[in-house]
C-alpha cells in the first residue's frame, strides 16, 4: 500500500514547493505607494525603476477592472481605501467618485503643462493623465467604392446598410462613449430617433469591444463582415500593413473624448508619496510613454507621438463630450432607454 | 495523562467528534463565502429599493430564462457525458487516456474565447449557441463524476441480469442506471449550477438580447453601481439555488444505497457496447472541433501560417501589453491552482468524510452542511468579489490584496466538486465492510484507511485532477482578485483579447493552446499516479 501512496504524496509535496505562499513581501521601511488602476494600465518597467531610484518610492499597481468597476470599488472602500493613489477614473464616472469624496485635495505642479485643460473641479482633486477618443473606424479597402461616411448621421444612409457593428453601452465602455456621442450630436430630443434609424439600417450590437473589433470588423485580423466599427482613434496604428500604409482609419468627425484622471485617495497611508506618484504620471517621461503602452494620447502639451501614430492615428481635433455632471445624472436612464429601444 | 486521555475519548461521542470535524469546512465557508456575501447583500438591502426590483415582471423573465437555459444545457451535458463516462470507466480501448485528457480541455478554456469560437459559427448569437456552449464546458463534469462511481460498481449484478435474459438496454436501465443515480444527480446539480451562473459565454453569445440573473447582477454591480438592484437579484439567485439543491438532494437521497464496490478491471467492449463507444468518440470529436479552430487561429496570419504567437509567449505582447510574459503567467497559474487544489482537497475530503459519518447518525445537520458546501457554485463571483472588498480588510494585514486570496477563492469553487465526486463513492461503501473491520478490532482511523480509502482512492485522484484543472481555468473570481504582477493564463488571455493588433490576438490564441496543453499534461500525469487497480479485494 505504502509503495502505491508514496508517489502520490511526493507529487503533492513537489507541487507544494511551487506554491504562491512563498511569494514576496516588501522589506520593512520601504516606501510603497499602491496605485489603484483600471485593467488597461501599463507603463514601461524601466520608468518605474527610474522613479524608484530617484525618489525611493516603489509603485505597486493594483488593477481593479474597467473604469466603471474601478470607480465603484473606490466608492465602496472609501472608509478603508485599497490603495494610496488612483489612475483611470474617466470623465464618464468621475463625478460619482467626486461626489462621494473619494479623493484628497492635491495640486500637482505638473498639472499646468496641459492637464489643466481637462480640469473637472476647482480644488484640483483629479488630474488628467491622458485622453482617448472613441471614433468610428473603417476598413479603407472595403469602402473604397462607395465612399466613407463623414458624420454619424451618414450611418443612417441605406448605402451603409448592414455595415456597422457597435458595442452594448451597458457592458462596454466604448459602447457607452458611442451612445453618449449620439446624445451629444442629436440631443436629448432626437437621439432615440437616430438609433431607430440605425436599427432599421441593420446595426449589429455585440456585448464587447473584443467581439466587435476582432470578430465582426473586416479591417482587423479577424476579417469579419462589417467594415465600420466603434473603436478608438488610436486603433489604426496597430493595423499598419507591411507596405507601411494603414489598412484602417478613424473618422475624425465621429469622435467622443474620454479623459482619464489620477488623484490621491482620501485615507492614503502616505499622501505625500502618493502625490509624487501623481506628479510622475503627469511628468514628461510617462506622458511620452502613454501612447505606446495604453493606446491613448498624453494630456501634456508638446509631447511627441510615436511615428506610427502621426501616420495612422493623429488626435482628432473636433471631438465631442458631454459635461461629467450631466453624464452622471443621466447615464442609467439613457442606458435603460437604449436597452428598451434596441432590444425591444 | 493517560487517564485524562481516556476520559476525553469517552467524552467525545461519535456525533460530537463529527461535529468538531465539521468545523473546518464551516469556518472556511463562513469566512471566505458567507461573511462577504452577506455583507454586500446587506449593504444593498440597507439602501432600500429591493422590493420594487422583485415586483418587476422582467426580473422574473430573467429568472425563467436563466433556469430554462441551464436546464437545457444540463440535459445536453448529461446526454453527451454518459457515453464518455462509460468509455472512461468501463472500456479497455486504445487511446482512453487521451480521451480522458481531451474531455477536460474545454473545461479550462476562458469563456470569452469559447464565446468567440461559438460566435464564429453562429454570428448572431442566440439561445442555441448559449446552451451548446454551456454544455460544451460541462461534459467533463458528467464524465468525471459519473465515471468515478461507474468504475467501481460491481459488474456481477449486471452480468447476472444479462444471464437471466435481460436485454442490454433492460440491464442498463434496471441495474446500472439506479446504481449510478447518485453520481448522475451529483453531476446534474453541479452542471446546473455552473450553467445557471455562467457569465462570459452568455454575455458574448446573448449580446444585448439574452440576459441571465448572473449577467444582470454583474451589470448592476459593476457598471451601474445599483447595489440594491444587485442585492435583490442576488437574493433571488440564492433562493433559486437553494431550491435546486434541496430538490436535487432529496432526489439523490432516495436512490442512494450501499453498492458492492470493487476495483473493476476495464474490459474490451462487445456487441452493442461498441455503439456507445462510438457515441463517446463522436462527443469527443465534437468537443475538439472548437478546440482545433482555436489552435488554427493561433497559427493563422495575414501571410500564411506562423508560430509568431507561440514565440511571443516568451515575451510580454505587442508593445508590452502584459506585465509579465505568457510563460510566467503559466507558472503563476500552476502555482495558484496547486494551492487552491490543496485547500479544496483538505476541506472537501474532510467534508465528505464528515457527511458520510453524520449520515450514519442521521442528522439534519448533514443535509444543511451538504447544501451549504454547494452554495458557492450558485452565487455570482461578482457578489463574492465585491463582498471581499468590504470585509477582508478586517483580517490581519489587509487580506484584500493578499496573494492567498486568489487560491482561497478558487478553492471555494473547487471544494464542492471534490465533495460531489468523492461523496457518492464513500456513501456507496458497504457499511458491513466497516463493521466487519471494526469487529476485528480496527480503530475508526484504521477502518477508514483499510476500507474506505482503497475503494475511494480512484475518485480522490479524479477529484484532485479535476479540481486542479478547474482552478487552472477559473476566471470569474480570479480576474476580480488577482494582482497585476501575478496574472494567471486566463487573465492574460482576456487582456490580450482586449487589444488591437494581429500579434496580440495570435498570442491570445497561442496562450489558450498553452492552457490546453498544460491541462492535458496535468490530467495525463494524474493518470500515471492512479493507484494501480486490482489485487486489493
Amino acid at each position: 500500500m505504502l509503495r502505491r501512496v508514496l508517489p502520490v504524496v511526493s507529487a503533492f509535496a513537489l507541487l507544494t514547493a511551487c506554491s504562491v505562499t512563498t511569494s514576496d513581501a516588501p522589506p520593512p521601511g520601504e516606501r510603497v505607494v499602491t496605485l489603484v488602476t483600471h485593467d488597461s494600465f501599463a507603463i514601461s518597467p524601466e520608468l518605474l525603476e527610474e522613479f524608484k531610484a530617484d525618489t525611493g518610492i516603489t509603485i505597486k499597481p493594483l488593477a481593479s477592472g474597467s473604469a466603471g468597476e474601478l470607480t465603484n470599488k473606490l466608492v465602496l472602500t472609501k472608509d478603508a481605501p485599497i490603495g494610496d493613489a488612483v489612475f483611470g477614473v474617466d470623465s464618464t464616472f468621475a463625478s460619482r467618485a467626486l461626489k462621494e469624496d473619494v479623493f484628497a485635495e492635491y495640486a500637482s505642479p505638473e498639472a499646468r503643462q496641459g492637464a489643466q485643460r481637462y480640469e473637472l473641479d476647482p480644488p484640483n482633486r483629479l488630474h488628467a493623465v491622458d485622453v482617448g477618443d472613441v471614433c468610428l473606424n473603417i476598413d479603407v479597402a472595403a469602402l473604397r467604392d462607395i465612399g466613407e461616411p463623414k458624420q454619424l448621421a451618414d450611418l443612417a444612409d441605406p448605402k451603409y446598410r448592414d455595415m456597422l457593428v457597435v458595442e452594448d453601452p451597458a457592458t462596454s465602455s466604448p459602447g457607452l462613449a458611442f451612445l453618449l456621442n449620439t446624445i451629444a450630436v442629436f440631443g436629448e430630443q432626437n437621439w432615440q430617433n437616430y438609433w431607430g434609424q440605425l436599427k432599421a439600417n441593420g446595426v449589429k450590437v455585440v456585448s464587447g469591444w473584443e467581439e466587435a473589433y476582432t470578430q465582426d470588423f473586416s479591417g482587423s485580423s479577424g476579417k469579419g463582415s462589417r467594415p465600420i466599427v466603434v473603436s478608438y482613434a488610436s486603433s489604426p496604428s496597430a493595423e499598419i500593413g507591411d507596405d507601411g500604409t494603414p489598412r484602417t482609419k478613424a473618422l475624425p468627425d465621429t469622435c467622443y473624448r474620454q479623459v482619464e484622471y489620477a488623484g490621491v485617495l482620501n485615507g492614503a497611508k502616505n499622501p505625500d508619496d502618493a502625490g509624487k506618484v501623481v506628479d510622475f504620471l503627469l511628468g514628461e517621461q510617462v506622458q511620452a510613454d502613454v501612447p505606446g503602452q495604453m493606446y491613448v494620447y498624453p494630456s501634456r502639451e508638446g509631447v511627441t507621438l510615436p511615428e506610427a501614430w502621426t501616420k495612422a492615428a493623429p488626435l482628432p481635433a473636433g471631438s465631442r463630450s458631454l459635461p461629467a455632471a450631466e453624464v452622471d445624472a443621466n447615464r442609467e436612464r439613457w442606458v435603460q432607454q437604449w436597452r428598451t429601444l434596441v432590444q425591444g | 495523562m493517560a487517564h485524562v486521555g481516556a476520559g476525553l475519548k469517552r467524552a467525545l461521542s461519535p456525533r460530537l467528534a463529527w461535529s468538531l470535524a465539521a468545523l473546518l469546512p464551516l469556518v472556511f465557508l463562513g469566512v471566505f463565502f458567507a461573511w462577504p456575501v452577506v455583507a454586500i447583500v446587506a449593504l444593498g438591502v440597507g439602501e432600500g429599493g429591493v422590493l420594487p426590483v422583485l415586483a418587476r415582471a422582467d426580473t422574473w423573465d430573467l429568472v425563467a430564462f436563466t433556469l430554462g437555459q441551464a436546464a437545457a444545457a444540463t440535459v445536453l451535458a448529461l446526454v453527451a457525458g454518459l457515453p464518455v463516462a462509460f468509455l472512461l470507466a468501463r472500456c479497455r480501448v486504445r487511446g482512453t487516456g487521451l480521451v480522458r485528457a481531451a474531455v477536460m480541455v474545454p473545461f479550462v478554456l476562458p469563456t470569452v474565447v469559447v464565446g468567440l469560437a461559438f460566435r464564429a459559427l453562429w454570428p448572431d448569437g442566440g439561445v442555441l449557441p448559449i446552451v451548446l456552449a454551456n454544455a460544451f464546458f460541462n461534459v467533463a463534469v458528467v464524465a468525471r463524476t459519473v465515471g468515478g462511481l461507474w468504475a467501481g460498481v460491481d459488474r456481477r449484478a449486471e452480468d447476472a441480469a444479462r444471464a437471466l435474459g435481460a436485454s442490454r438496454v433492460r440491464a442498463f436501465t434496471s441495474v446500472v442506471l439506479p446504481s449510478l443515480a447518485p453520481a448522475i444527480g451529483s453531476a446534474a446539480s453541479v452542471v446546473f449550477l455552473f450553467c445557471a451562473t455562467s457569465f462570459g459565454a452568455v454575455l458574448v453569445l446573448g449580446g444585448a438580447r439574452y440576459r441571465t440573473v448572473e449577467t444582470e447582477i454583474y451589470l448592476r454591480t459593476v457598471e451601474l453601481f445599483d447595489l440594491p438592484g444587485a442585492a435583490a437579484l442576488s437574493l433571488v439567485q440564492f433562493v433559486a439555488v437553494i431550491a435546486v439543491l434541496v430538490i436535487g438532494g432529496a432526489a439523490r437521497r432516495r436512490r442512494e444505497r450501499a453498492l458492492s464496490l470493487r476495483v473493476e478491471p476495464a474490459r474490451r467492449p462487445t456487441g452493442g457496447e461498441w455503439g456507445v463507444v462510438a457515441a463517446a468518440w463522436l462527443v469527443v470529436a465534437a468537443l475538439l472541433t472548437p478546440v482545433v479552430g482555436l489552435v488554427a487561429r493561433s497559427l493563422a496570419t495575414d501571410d500564411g501560417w506562423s508560430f509568431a504567437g507561440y514565440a511571443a509567449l516568451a515575451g510580454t505582447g505587442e508593445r508590452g501589453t502584459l506585465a509579465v510574459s505568457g510563460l510566467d503567467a503559466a507558472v503563476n497559474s500552476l502555482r495558484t491552482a496547486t494551492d487552491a487544489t490543496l485547500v479544496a482537497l483538505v476541506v472537501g475530503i474532510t467534508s465528505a468524510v464528515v457527511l458520510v459519518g453524520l449520515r450514519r447518525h442521521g442528522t439534519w445537520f448533514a443535509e444543511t452542511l451538504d447544501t451549504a458546501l454547494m452554495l458557492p457554485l450558485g452565487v455570482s463571483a461578482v457578489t463574492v468579489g465585491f463582498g471581499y472588498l468590504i470585509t477582508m480588510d478586517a483580517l490581519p494585514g489587509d487580506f484584500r490584496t493578499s496573494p492567498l486570496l486568489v487560491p482561497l477563492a478558487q478553492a471555494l469553487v473547487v471544494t464542492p466538486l471534490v465533495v460531489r465526486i468523492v461523496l457518492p463513492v464513500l456513501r456507496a461503501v458497504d457499511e458491513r465492510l466497516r463493521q466487519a473491520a471494526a469487529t476485528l478490532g480496527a480503530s475508526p482511523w484504521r477502518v477508514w484507511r483499510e476500507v474506505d480509502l482503497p475503494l475511494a482512492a480512484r475518485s480522490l485522484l479524479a477529484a484532485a485532477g479535476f479540481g486542479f484543472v478547474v482552478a487552472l481555468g477559473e476566471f470569474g473570481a480570479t480576474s476580480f482578485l488577482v494582482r497585476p504582477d501575478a496574472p494567471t493564463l486566463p487573465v492574460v488571455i482576456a487582456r490580450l483579447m482586449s487589444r488591437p493588433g494581429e500579434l496580440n490576438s495570435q498570442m491570445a490564441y497561442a496562450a489558450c493552446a498553452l492552457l490546453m496543453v498544460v491541462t492535458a499534461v496535468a490530467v495525463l500525469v494524474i493518470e500515471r499516479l492512479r493507484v494501480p487497480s486490482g489485487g486489493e479485494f
Side-chain angles (χ1 to χ4, degrees), chain A residues 179 182 190-200 203 205 333-344, chain B residues 208:
Chain A
L179 171 65
T182 62
N190 286 319
W191 72 266
Q192 298 200 42
N193 191 11
Y194 173 70
W195 274 96
Q197 291 170 3
L198 287 186
K199 203 177 161 186
V203 63
V205 181
R333 182 174 57 87
W334 285 334
V335 170
Q336 202 54 52
Q337 286 172 336
W338 180 91
R339 285 174 114 180
T340 315
L341 183 81
V342 177
Q343 286 162 19

Side-chain angles (χ1 to χ4, degrees), chain B residues 425-512:
Chain B
V425 179
L426 283 185
R427 279 201 176 141
V429 172
D430 198 327
E431 182 65 6
R432 283 170 303 186
L433 282 176
R434 290 197 187 91
Q435 286 161 351
T439 315
L440 294 172
S443 67
W445 165 243
R446 179 110 194 253
V447 171
W448 199 77
R449 205 183 61 200
E450 301 283 345
V451 177
D452 298 67
L453 188 61
L455 286 171
R458 274 170 174 254
S459 65
L460 283 180
L461 276 171
F466 198 57
F468 185 74
V469 164
V470 170
L472 272 184
E474 209 284 332
F475 180 70
T478 308
S479 68
F480 204 92
L481 302 168
V482 77
R483 299 187 316 164
D485 53 340
T488 61
L489 266 181
V491 172
V492 156
I493 292 166
R495 181 164 173 95
L496 286 166
M497 299 292 290
S498 69
R499 290 306 172 91
E502 191 175 37
L503 185 62
N504 278 339
S505 151
Q506 266 178 319
M507 188 177 164
Y509 286 109
C512 282

Side-chain angles (χ1 to χ4, degrees), chain B residues 66 83 104 108 123 180 214 230 257 276 319 385 400 427 438:
Chain B
T66 306
M104 293 293 277
V108 293
L180 295 181
E214 179 84 7
R257 56 188 174 163
V276 183
R319 288 186 271 179
R400 292 176 299 183
R427 279 201 176 141

Side-chain angles (χ1 to χ4, degrees), chain A residues 19 42 50 53 78 131 156 160 174 183 200 207-208 212 214 234 285 292 306 312 321:
Chain A
S19 127
E50 231 171 88
K78 62 180 178 177
V131 299
Y160 299 115
I183 296 168
S207 62
T214 66
S234 57
Q285 283 181 308
S321 59

Side-chain angles (χ1 to χ4, degrees), chain B residues 121-189:
Chain B
L121 298 169
W122 288 270
D124 293 321
V127 184
L128 179 69
I130 291 177
V131 170
L132 286 176
N134 274 338
F136 171 80
F137 284 118
N138 287 302
V139 169
V141 179
V142 179
R144 282 271 147 166
T145 314
V146 179
L149 185 63
W150 207 335
V153 173
D154 195 335
R155 265 180 201 268
R156 284 173 300 191
E158 186 188 347
D159 291 343
R162 292 276 291 139
L164 292 172
S167 68
R168 242 176 233 289
V169 175
R170 179 78 201 274
F172 178 75
T173 51
S174 52
V175 178
V176 182
L177 209 52
S179 49
L180 295 181
I184 294 176
S186 276
S189 53

Side-chain angles (χ1 to χ4, degrees), chain B residues 144-531:
Chain B
R144 282 271 147 166
T145 314
V146 179
L149 185 63
W150 207 335
V153 173
D154 195 335
R155 265 180 201 268
R156 284 173 300 191
E158 186 188 347
D159 291 343
R162 292 276 291 139
L164 292 172
S167 68
R168 242 176 233 289
V169 175
R170 179 78 201 274
F172 178 75
T173 51
S174 52
V175 178
V176 182
L177 209 52
S179 49
L180 295 181
I184 294 176
S186 276
S189 53
V190 169
V191 172
F192 187 87
L193 292 182
F194 271 131
C195 295
T197 58
S198 88
F199 172 71
V202 175
L203 206 58
V204 174
L205 296 168
R209 255 182 315 155
Y210 297 103
R211 299 182 280 140
T212 60
V213 175
E214 179 84 7
T215 61
E216 195 66 14
I217 289 175
Y218 173 84
L219 284 184
R220 291 187 186 223
T221 309
V222 166
E223 299 294 336
L224 304 175
F225 206 46
D226 170 17
L227 289 185
L233 289 170
S234 298
L235 289 173
V236 170
Q237 196 181 42
F238 214 64
V239 171
V241 164
I242 289 180
V244 168
L245 288 175
V246 168
I247 296 168
R252 239 188 356 252
R253 259 192 316 287
R254 268 211 317 276
R255 299 195 212 91
E256 235 159 30
R257 56 188 174 163
L259 296 171
S260 166
L261 287 186
R262 318 196 311 157
V263 182
E264 279 283 346
R267 66 187 183 198
R268 232 175 141 64
T270 53
E273 286 180 347
W274 280 109
V276 183
V277 171
W281 281 335
L282 268 182
V283 169
V284 173
L287 291 178
L288 288 181
T289 310
V291 171
V292 171
L294 293 178
V295 174
R297 282 210 59 171
S298 73
L299 294 167
T301 71
D302 266 354
D303 328 303
W305 304 100
S306 147
F307 282 100
Y310 291 86
L313 285 175
T316 56
E318 203 170 331
R319 288 186 271 179
T321 299
L322 307 172
V324 303
S325 77
L327 296 178
D328 288 338
V331 172
N332 289 335
S333 281
L334 289 175
R335 286 180 164 188
T336 17
T338 304
D339 286 356
T341 310
L342 288 175
V343 174
L345 281 179
V346 171
V347 178
I349 293 174
T350 311
S351 309
V353 171
V354 166
L355 286 173
V356 172
L358 284 175
R359 172 62 66 71
R360 271 183 237 129
H361 297 274
T363 72
W364 58 268
F365 180 69
E367 302 313 324
T368 316
L369 180 61
D370 194 339
T371 307
L373 281 163
M374 295 287 286
L375 279 180
L377 289 187
V379 171
S380 159
V382 175
T383 307
V384 179
F386 266 76
Y388 279 167
L389 280 179
I390 57 170
T391 51
M392 291 292 137
D393 59 314
L395 291 185
D398 199 346
F399 214 67
R400 292 176 299 183
T401 54
S402 163
L404 279 178
L405 204 50
V406 173
L408 285 170
Q410 290 179 349
L412 215 50
V413 182
V414 177
T415 304
L417 291 169
V418 172
V419 174
R420 288 275 78 91
I421 291 177
V422 175
L423 194 59
V425 179
L426 283 185
R427 279 201 176 141
V429 172
D430 198 327
E431 182 65 6
R432 283 170 303 186
L433 282 176
R434 290 197 187 91
Q435 286 161 351
T439 315
L440 294 172
S443 67
W445 165 243
R446 179 110 194 253
V447 171
W448 199 77
R449 205 183 61 200
E450 301 283 345
V451 177
D452 298 67
L453 188 61
L455 286 171
R458 274 170 174 254
S459 65
L460 283 180
L461 276 171
F466 198 57
F468 185 74
V469 164
V470 170
L472 272 184
E474 209 284 332
F475 180 70
T478 308
S479 68
F480 204 92
L481 302 168
V482 77
R483 299 187 316 164
D485 53 340
T488 61
L489 266 181
V491 172
V492 156
I493 292 166
R495 181 164 173 95
L496 286 166
M497 299 292 290
S498 69
R499 290 306 172 91
E502 191 175 37
L503 185 62
N504 278 339
S505 151
Q506 266 178 319
M507 188 177 164
Y509 286 109
C512 282
L514 179 62
L515 186 61
M516 296 192 266
V517 170
V518 171
T519 303
V521 169
V523 175
L524 289 173
V525 166
I526 286 162
E527 278 292 283
R528 291 256 154 242
L529 294 180
R530 276 160 72 101
V531 180

